[in-house]
Amino acid sequence: MGELVNKNFDKPDETRPFTAGTGHLDLIDTASGGVGRALFEPGWRWSLHIKPIAGTESCQAHHTGYVVSGRMKIVMDEGESAEIGPGDFIHITPGHDAWVLGDDPCVVLDWTGYADYAKPAAD
């Protein structure tokens, strides 16, 4: 028998705030894993606002997603970098930093990397 799931990011299963009011992650739980919509405010930077939550030196999430709005710079631990913006598909492996470019919030949908994103590290 088939299955039909209909959920809305305006009523997520969980919302995780980023430090210093720099955005949040809305997470929807699915049988295939978490799907998220993150809103990153201008001034947000992973190494400043998520690192204290994650407890790792760089982002260890594996992202597969789509940029809805805004712009962001991604820098891999090895130095490779890219700017992403509206309409871009992204595939980013673990080991990177990122920050919002410009004065507009950046909104990113991700269907592989947000299940544990901005989730406090286990004690």
Side-chain angles (χ1 to χ4, degrees):
M1 180 184 274
E3 177 183 21
L4 175 64
V5 176
N6 181 15
K7 293 189 175 192
N8 190 301
F9 280 112
D10 292 334
K11 295 181 183 176
D13 294 314
E14 181 180 357
T15 296
R16 297 179 191 156
F18 303 155
T19 62
T22 57
H24 64 274
L25 168 66
D26 293 323
L27 191 66
I28 291 175
D29 296 322
T30 75
S32 301
V35 177
R37 176 183 67 182
L39 180 131
F40 304 95
E41 295 287 355
W44 174 90
R45 185 174 183 136
W46 187 92
S47 54
L48 296 175
H49 302 106
I50 304 298
K51 180 179 178 177
I53 298 169
T56 57
E57 285 303 309
S58 61
C59 181
Q60 296 302 304
H62 188 150
H63 303 287
T64 305
Y66 175 80
V67 182
V68 177
S69 62
R71 300 198 62 75
M72 189 177 284
K73 174 94 176 208
I74 311 293
V75 178
M76 302 301 293
D77 289 350
E78 297 81 24
E80 181 180 3
S81 68
E83 290 187 16
I84 61 173
D88 286 347
F89 166 82
I90 56 170
H91 178 83
I92 306 166
T93 57
H96 56 273
D97 194 5
W99 56 90
V100 172
L101 297 172
D103 297 327
D104 296 319
C106 185
V107 176
V108 179
L109 301 175
D110 186 322
W111 47 92
T112 60
Y114 282 168
D116 292 322
Y117 193 81
K119 191 175 189 176
D123 293 330

